Amino acid sequence: MGTAEETADDMPWGEVTPDAARRLLVAAVAAFAERGYHATTTRDIAGRAGMSPAALYIHYKTKEELLHRISRIGHVKALAILEGAAGGPGGAADRLADAVRSFVRWHAGRYDTARVVQYELDALGPEHRAEILELRRRSDAAVRRILEDGVREGEFDVPDVPGTTLAVLSLCIDVARWFNTRGRRTPDEVGALYADLVLRMVGAPPRP
Amino acid sequence: MGTAEETADDMPWGEVTPDAARRLLVAAVAAFAERGYHATTTRDIAGRAGMSPAALYIHYKTKEELLHRISRIGHVKALAILEGAAGGPGGAADRLADAVRSFVRWHAGRYDTARVVQYELDALGPEHRAEILELRRRSDAAVRRILEDGVREGEFDVPDVPGTTLAVLSLCIDVARWFNTRGRRTPDEVGALYADLVLRMVGAPPRP
DNA sequence: GGACACCCTAAGCGCTTGCTCACCCTCGGG
DNA sequence: CCCGAGGGTGAGCAAGCGCTTAGGGTGTCC
């Protein structure tokens, strides 16, 4: 895609410019994740970014636009993870394990962002929500594709592919709800555990 | 427990009296599930119940008390489902399948209640939240007990019991997020699918 | 029929919300 | 040295919020 995404892993919001707009966006992610969109005030966001409430409206038209920007960037990132794994090398089991492992790792490691992305969809306006739902449909399709490949090649035993697709994505997404940094597990550990559990769900032998 | 719970399945909020208080509570569940706690106004709740905004404060001290009552009743019901299945007859696999099936059925069939119960915890005050978290710890313990039994008796192959407990509960709870009545699946179908998936996760042969 | 308890409402209080507006500070180019 | 443009602020507006209060209607007891 764009050239600005090359540092996406190191600097998660590197594509957001100018600097003041990025600071506001990072502050909004923290506030939305902690209190929820509706319970967060524009004064709270501006305060976390070290600015006055009015500064927010120089860079964003409304509070909802801020949420939309966060949600769009997050969903694009999530989709890239899943499509990257779906189109990767190896058999269906390898690709499924890779998809779950990296998707879960993102939901755990960036759980504040993921929480906003996954749980504040209803706060978006109708057109913005429709745009985001299209990205989610493509995420669903990427996982379903792996399962269909595995079934066709005899690697998986899955009676209900759409239902299992839903369950796999649901399992990964819910990590953002319960994960917190004070827990005992690291994002890598949760990713490994979940990849194993999902392989069992589709009837594939566990990875080494 | 109490005698008022005998009709709990037929009339979900039968234990709430008087009638006006129940109507308000049912209206609040619908509003909280649809828009979220913070986006719901007391005027909205009272309007859905066909009353004036002031009527709410005859039966409930604050909006937060309403949420607390909903959350407590819902968590008690969820805990009863899980402890009932954990203490039921049959081997660990039967009890685990039963727990998942009925827990998922409740999350799908009463998804508006479940959504409030599972996703609005942070809106509770500190003491109320602590009380609810204790109920959740007991739910976790009920599922973990089934897994431990299954491992001890050689029915299950589960390397990480606490992690798998978390995953099983997480999978079931997230049903409340994505389920809606316009979808293709019935609560019974989702319950059956999920029970099968969870048995696979713990390495047990599928039920007939 | 009068006293009383119980629900409920109309009106509105004090406060916070998302957002705006008039103004200011800083800094590169002629 | 002045100028204009762009990023920032202090003060505040209209609207909506959770919640309160004074009072009215209704049914049940003696």
Side-chain angles (χ1 to χ4, degrees):
Chain A
M1 320 291 178
T3 58
E5 291 185 16
E6 58 192 4
T7 58
D9 277 0
D10 309 335
M11 303 179 53
W13 305 107
E15 68 234 76
V16 181
T17 54
D19 193 73
R22 177 171 48 246
R23 270 158 50 217
L24 283 164
L25 192 136
V26 168
V29 169
F32 291 163
E34 201 174 305
R35 304 210 222 268
Y37 175 79
H38 288 292
T40 298
T41 69
T42 56
R43 285 160 177 76
D44 185 16
I45 298 168
R48 284 176 193 247
M51 302 182 195
S52 81
L56 200 153
Y57 294 90
I58 297 167
H59 301 281
Y60 302 95
K61 219 163 51 181
T62 63
K63 179 179 147 187
E64 193 265 355
E65 189 196 317
L66 243 180
L67 176 63
H68 171 62
R69 293 276 270 269
I70 294 167
S71 194
R72 215 189 63 86
I73 293 171
H75 273 93
V76 166
K77 175 69 181 164
L79 178 59
I81 289 171
L82 291 176
E83 285 188 339
D94 294 300
R95 286 182 284 137
L96 183 59
D98 187 36
V100 169
R101 194 163 32 234
S102 48
F103 198 51
V104 165
R105 202 155 40 196
W106 183 73
H107 276 82
R110 306 234 166 262
Y111 71 98
D112 51 356
T113 305
R115 213 169 276 181
V116 178
V117 162
Q118 303 291 3
Y119 294 103
E120 301 290 354
L121 264 175
D122 291 345
L124 290 170
E127 357 35 83
H128 284 165
R129 183 163 56 242
E131 179 197 349
I132 298 295
L133 286 179
E134 173 56 26
L135 291 172
R136 293 176 78 88
R137 243 170 271 128
R138 289 172 57 190
S139 291
D140 188 90
V143 173
R144 194 170 52 244
R145 197 179 105 203
I146 307 178
L147 292 190
E148 282 163 354
D149 288 352
V151 169
R152 190 177 339 98
E153 294 158 13
E155 272 192 273
F156 296 162
D157 166 32
V158 177
D160 180 352
V161 169
T164 306
T165 302
L166 192 55
V168 169
L169 276 171
S170 168
L171 188 65
C172 297
I173 286 171
D174 200 55
V175 169
R177 182 181 56 87
W178 60 260
F179 189 86
N180 73 78
T181 48
R182 294 179 306 282
R184 270 161 265 142
R185 298 162 202 280
T186 66
D188 279 343
E189 286 164 357
V190 179
L193 169 64
Y194 271 49
D196 178 58
L197 289 173
V198 166
L199 285 183
R200 288 158 170 254
M201 281 169 60
V202 299
R207 300 288 95 188
Chain B
M1 321 284 178
T3 58
E5 291 184 16
E6 57 192 6
T7 58
D9 278 359
D10 307 335
M11 301 179 54
W13 304 106
E15 68 233 76
V16 181
T17 55
D19 192 73
R22 176 171 48 246
R23 270 158 50 217
L24 282 164
L25 192 135
V26 168
V29 169
F32 291 163
E34 200 174 306
R35 306 209 221 266
Y37 174 80
H38 288 292
T40 298
T41 69
T42 55
R43 286 160 176 80
D44 185 17
I45 297 168
R48 284 176 193 247
M51 302 180 194
S52 81
L56 200 153
Y57 294 91
I58 296 166
H59 301 281
Y60 302 96
K61 218 163 54 180
T62 64
K63 178 178 147 187
E64 193 263 357
E65 189 197 316
L66 204 38
L67 175 64
H68 171 61
R69 293 275 272 269
I70 294 167
S71 194
R72 214 189 64 87
I73 294 172
H75 273 93
V76 165
K77 174 69 180 166
L79 178 59
I81 289 172
L82 291 175
E83 285 189 339
D94 294 299
R95 288 182 284 140
L96 182 60
D98 187 37
V100 169
R101 193 164 31 234
S102 47
F103 198 52
V104 165
R105 202 155 39 195
W106 183 74
H107 276 83
R110 307 237 165 259
Y111 72 97
D112 52 356
T113 303
R115 213 170 277 180
V116 178
V117 161
Q118 302 293 1
Y119 294 105
E120 301 290 356
L121 265 174
D122 291 345
L124 290 170
E127 344 55 63
H128 285 165
R129 182 162 58 242
E131 179 196 349
I132 299 295
L133 286 179
E134 173 57 27
L135 291 172
R136 293 175 78 89
R137 244 170 269 127
R138 290 171 57 191
S139 292
D140 189 90
V143 174
R144 193 169 54 244
R145 199 180 103 201
I146 307 179
L147 293 190
E148 282 164 354
D149 288 350
V151 169
R152 191 178 338 101
E153 293 158 14
E155 273 192 273
F156 296 163
D157 166 33
V158 177
D160 180 353
V161 168
T164 306
T165 302
L166 192 55
V168 169
L169 276 171
S170 169
L171 187 65
C172 296
I173 286 171
D174 199 56
V175 169
R177 181 181 57 86
W178 60 260
F179 189 87
N180 74 78
T181 48
R182 295 179 305 281
R184 271 160 264 144
R185 298 163 202 280
T186 66
D188 279 343
E189 287 165 358
V190 181
L193 169 64
Y194 270 48
D196 177 58
L197 289 173
V198 167
L199 286 184
R200 288 159 171 251
M201 280 168 62
V202 299
R207 299 289 93 186

